[in-house]
Amino acid sequence: MVDPHVPVAGNAVATNVELFERACEVLPGGVNSPVRAFGSVGGTPYFVARAEGAHVWDVEGNRYIDYVQSYGPGILGHAPPAVVEAVSAAAADGTSYGAPTEREVLLAGEMCARVPGLEMLRLVSSGTEAAMSAVRLARGATGRNKIIKFAGCYHGHSDSLLAAGGSGVANQGLSGCDGVTPGAVADTVVAPYNVLPDIDDSTAAVLVEPVAANMGLVAPAPGFLEGLRAACDHTGALLVYDEVITGFRLAGGGATEFYGVRPDLWCFGKVIGGGLPVGAFGGSRELMGHLAPLGGVYQAGTLSGNPLATAAGLATLEALDTASYERLEATAMRLAAGLEEALADAGVEAVVPRVGSLLGLFFGGRTPRNFDEAAASVASGLYAPFFGAMLRRGVALAPGPYEAIFVSVAHSAADIDATIAAAGEAAAEVAAELS
């Protein structure tokens, strides 16, 4: 047994295998989040030693073109100089105070200025906190209990929202979660994505990813978001957008700007922290007025509005201008077309859906519209060998078939060319195994 507390004898640098053995002694499954596990793709996780731009290097010195990008925050790429400089300067002034800071106000103001209809927000430390708190606020503001969510959408690991979740929940093959009591989900109704559910006057909130990015990538069908908005208006339920992934990625104003449909409450994360732990939820002044200390809905967090995270978030948003979004979309468009062509040329049937700069990858000839159809693609079993073949060629995708592909402004034309070439070789390898 390897002692996880000491360096591996005789090695200046531990290998990925050695580090994973040590990690398994002190971390459940060797990881701090199930989405990082390689259980659904096989093999040993690579341990990142450093990252820059579009690339990460593991502890063995292998370089990968990275399309994980920390599952979304890396919209500028890894370690962008402006963000590193902002965090370094903030750290020199102290890392946490338990008191208000100017950057909290500036970051909230910048977000409200960019998102149509967003008037006030509360900063938290994760997307899970944001979604959990938004649900509590919705229940407190409406006096109702029932929550509607959609199968395959992931809203963090709070008890009431884990039912039929995507992302790591789906990657682990779980339909729910041990430890979640029946009472915790008694007021949670799960509906199929892209189908208007039965929303009535007992519904407090409808929680939705405006673009489902935790079951691969599934776009909203025409009229879906508009239908949810109209039904919520009719019944008095609140429409809650989980924009932890789409916020400030699809457009400067997120999905609200991209689709022109406004929710009542928003949840944010990832991009707004520039890679540091952060989340936020917000809405109108009236709704946010129900939140303590103004109202009776309690929510708190010792590290909320952390000075390092707000510094990184401000620097990230300030760097995202119109040209950034044009570059992101052009890069994603070229990558999507190249991947589809490379796979088709190798005789592997697959689709690469795209919404803005977000991409998905599904094996089979049909673009999924919901979680059941996404799961049917995953059941082909082709993602795992393709993932492994890409990793061996220096391209890092997420180690799970239900995750999105993230490009950044740092991905160059050469990176995209290399990725497409690797995909052609990897697809040929997969096709040879099938024959």
Side-chain angles (χ1 to χ4, degrees):
M1 179 181 297
V2 176
D3 185 344
H5 303 290
V6 299
V8 176
N11 287 342
V13 177
T15 66
N16 290 314
V17 170
E18 289 166 341
L19 273 176
F20 188 58
E21 289 175 354
R22 293 162 64 187
C24 287
E25 293 297 315
V26 291
L27 304 172
V31 293
N32 277 309
S33 178
V35 297
R36 303 174 191 170
F38 273 38
S40 62
V41 294
T44 300
Y46 56 91
F47 283 68
V48 175
R50 69 183 184 93
E52 181 181 349
H55 306 105
V56 297
W57 286 259
D58 69 15
V59 294
E60 298 175 8
N62 300 305
R63 189 189 78 159
Y64 305 96
I65 304 172
D66 182 36
Y67 293 100
V68 181
Q69 291 292 327
S70 196
Y71 293 89
I75 194 167
L76 302 178
H78 293 292
V83 174
V84 172
E85 182 180 346
V87 172
S88 298
D93 292 331
T95 58
S96 183
Y97 315 120
T101 67
E102 181 182 14
R103 276 191 297 269
E104 296 174 64
V105 181
L106 294 176
L107 179 57
E110 185 70 21
M111 293 170 64
C112 289
R114 291 178 178 233
V115 179
L118 180 64
E119 295 178 339
M120 300 185 80
L121 60 86
R122 173 66 59 82
L123 291 169
V124 293
S125 296
S126 70
T128 290
E129 276 189 77
M132 175 184 71
S133 302
V135 166
R136 182 181 300 162
L137 176 58
R139 284 171 165 156
T142 62
R144 304 172 181 179
N145 295 329
K146 187 169 75 175
I147 300 296
I148 297 175
K149 72 173 293 280
F150 296 91
C153 288
Y154 179 71
H155 306 293
H157 60 267
S158 61
D159 284 4
S160 63
L161 299 177
L162 268 178
S167 187
V169 178
N171 287 332
Q172 302 300 312
L174 304 175
S175 59
C177 181
D178 292 348
V180 175
T181 65
V185 294
D187 293 316
T188 302
V189 176
V190 180
Y193 194 75
N194 274 327
V195 175
L196 289 178
D198 182 15
I199 303 170
D200 58 29
D201 58 10
S202 69
T203 304
V206 179
L207 192 60
V208 65
E209 289 183 75
V211 178
N214 285 290
M215 52 173 129
L217 188 77
V218 177
F224 177 58
L225 297 177
E226 292 85 352
L228 292 178
R229 177 70 277 170
C232 287
D233 287 341
H234 179 71
T235 61
L238 300 182
L239 180 59
V240 183
Y241 274 3
D242 184 338
E243 289 221 58
V244 170
I245 288 178
T246 57
F248 306 100
R249 175 169 281 276
L250 288 184
T256 308
E257 176 186 333
F258 197 84
Y259 288 108
V261 180
R262 294 188 187 184
D264 298 293
L265 291 170
W266 289 260
C267 302
F268 297 105
K270 299 189 185 294
V271 167
I272 65 167
L276 275 71
V278 74
F281 64 102
S284 67
R285 294 183 186 279
E286 180 183 1
L287 274 176
M288 296 303 285
H290 290 274
L291 200 65
L294 298 177
V297 178
Y298 191 75
Q299 181 279 330
T302 299
L303 298 179
S304 296
N306 177 268
L308 272 64
T310 52
L314 271 171
T316 299
L317 292 184
E318 288 169 358
L320 290 172
D321 55 14
T322 300
S324 300
Y325 289 107
E326 290 174 350
R327 178 180 174 86
L328 283 164
E329 182 147 7
T331 300
M333 187 181 302
R334 186 160 171 265
L335 179 59
L339 288 176
E340 282 200 337
E341 183 177 359
L343 288 158
D345 287 348
V348 176
E349 197 172 36
V351 294
V352 184
R354 181 185 66 84
V355 179
S357 68
L358 287 167
L359 302 179
L361 173 61
F362 295 104
F363 289 94
R366 182 177 183 182
T367 300
R369 297 164 297 178
N370 54 49
F371 181 66
D372 285 346
E373 292 178 4
S377 167
V378 171
S380 71
L382 296 182
Y383 185 84
F386 183 75
F387 167 87
M390 290 291 277
L391 195 64
R392 289 190 293 275
R393 289 166 174 80
V395 179
L397 303 174
Y402 290 106
E403 310 297 343
I405 296 171
F406 294 96
V407 299
S408 73
V409 297
H411 281 89
S412 67
D415 291 323
I416 301 304
D417 288 342
T419 302
I420 293 169
E425 295 177 3
E429 184 177 315
V430 171
E433 292 176 0
L434 292 174
S435 61

